[in-house]
Amino acid sequence: MVQVLWLILASIVTFTVGYLAYSRYLARFVELDDDRETPAHKYDDGQEYVPSKKPVLLGHHFSSIAGGAPIVGPITAGAIWGWLPALAWVAIGNPLMGAVHDFVSLSSSVRHEGKSIGYIMGEYVGERGKNMLLWFAFLTIILVVGVFALVVGIVLNAYPQAATASVIYIALAIVFGIYLYQMDGPLIPGTIVFVAGVFAGVWVGIQYPIALFELAEGTHPAGTLVLFGGTGSWIPGAGTAALNGNAAAWVPVILLYAAIASALPVWVLLQPRDYLSSFLLYAGVGGALLAIIVGTLLGTSAEPLVVADSINAFEGFFGVDSVAPYPLFPLLFVTIACGTISGFHSLVSSGTTAKQLNKESDARLIGYGGMLAEGLLATTAIATLAIAGGASAAAGGGIGGALPNFAAGGGVILTSFGIPTAYGGPFMALVLVSFLLTSTDTAARLGRYMMEEIVGTQGSGTETGLSGGIGSFARGRYTNPVLQCGIAYVLVISGEWATLWALFGGANQLLAALALLTATVWIANWDRSKQLISTGVPMALMVTITVLGLVWITVYENLLVNLVQGGAEGIGSMLSAGVQIVLGLVLIFLALSLVRIGYANISDARRGRGPDVQPGDD
């Protein structure tokens, strides 16, 4: 039997080489300079532009990019095609493509006043290219918000302990923000006290779980406080393949939370919450990795930490028999929507992180290193699948199978430290929720940034949106999140989890290709002598892979199987399939158009048809 320790070591080796060698080269390549003033200092407004200490910003950045996708995606891919293809794509692709993507997205934004990748594209190819990329990003953001809210609802339904702990650490984050930014309290003592509070909240959550409704089938853990009577069967989306009444009820709660959190100043909740929760996340990922090493070498785990017999290294090009034929190329790379490369990260890097970077050299650890940390999370997820087994359940049920494998496998891993599975399993579920919540409200905030750049801003760009007018409503601090969350809710309540996840994955990966295209355009215009291989080759690969993946999802799965052959049952499912077809075709059109425009600009720059520009020259 294969020990899961070898899976972990494979990623650690490639990630270490990537950070020590390749990231150092990239830092010199983009000429990071601490003497250059960053946007956080230049535009410090205490609202969006806030210079942040490196550990605080790393915590925010890592918490924001590491949502549920690097857990669900690798587990589902490993279950369908085997653990080896999933591990290889994470271990090799992350340092060569994903970490490069995050680093250049952050670096280019810092050189352009902390603006988004859409703004940067517009600087070189014009307003049309800028708006096309911003619309692509905004549509992707809606999919991100919807998918993450759906997953959080399912997680809180499966583990009501996570609901209590989440409420506690959000409350602690607000108090910590006041302590840190209004009372100017020292960071280290505050960190010790509030992080201890977060872990105490984990214990409280295990002792006093919270649910919104009773379960129609089965029961909640003993001692669960159920807030409303009945099973919630009347809630929109309840009774679908993905949601029961309790899970469906959590979805609008999460969307409301995301809308409110995205409208608050970053110091109130986003920064302190992400910083505190990062310790929970580090404990979950780092603790699991260390537990695998200790349990393997010392034999202290309750079960042998080896790959289960039910999980094969390779299940064949079309995957396991329990699911419909899923070709490994291109769907493996779409299914693993994060963990290797993720376009959502470019929105975080150029949306919130670039506005908070204290000095340019911090970009190497936060941008490149933060993505490697997510790769370790993805590797840990594959390890939990390998230990827990249950391939057919994970493959056929998407999140329904992925979550039990992550929690169950993680619980077994933590027994290496003497932690009972009754505590280890819920703790790993809490780790998953922490990732999801931070990414959901960050995505909603980024969606507002995208719309502000599409329709333009007036004054400080922080208007409420309540003053009237379509433009004001679209970009408003309070109204824009309502727009995003409303559309996301319509997509979620159809219950079409499988196709929604695949569409999200395809859009997300294609956005990564466009972010790499933006970086390539910037570099080509900045200095005609600089090589374009580091960003250009990953960009070309991701454009090819993701366009083919979106064509499969849009034309084959939704149009042919769901609509023509009648695979979609019910008005909601058919409507969802129709909306996804339209979204898929629009995304493909926008992406290919941008590639054509970007390629033309790069060709002109290389032929010397325009003067060199300095990085960040507006």
Side-chain angles (χ1 to χ4, degrees), residues 35-57:
D35 291 333
R36 188 182 288 114
E37 187 179 34
T38 64
H41 288 282
K42 186 176 182 179
Y43 300 106
D44 187 0
D45 60 4
Q47 185 80 18
E48 310 290 352
Y49 292 86
V50 180
S52 304
K53 297 179 177 65
K54 187 192 298 187
V56 175
L57 186 55

Side-chain angles (χ1 to χ4, degrees), residues 251-264:
V251 172
V253 173
I254 299 305
L255 290 174
L256 178 62
Y257 158 79
I260 294 174
S262 68
L264 295 173

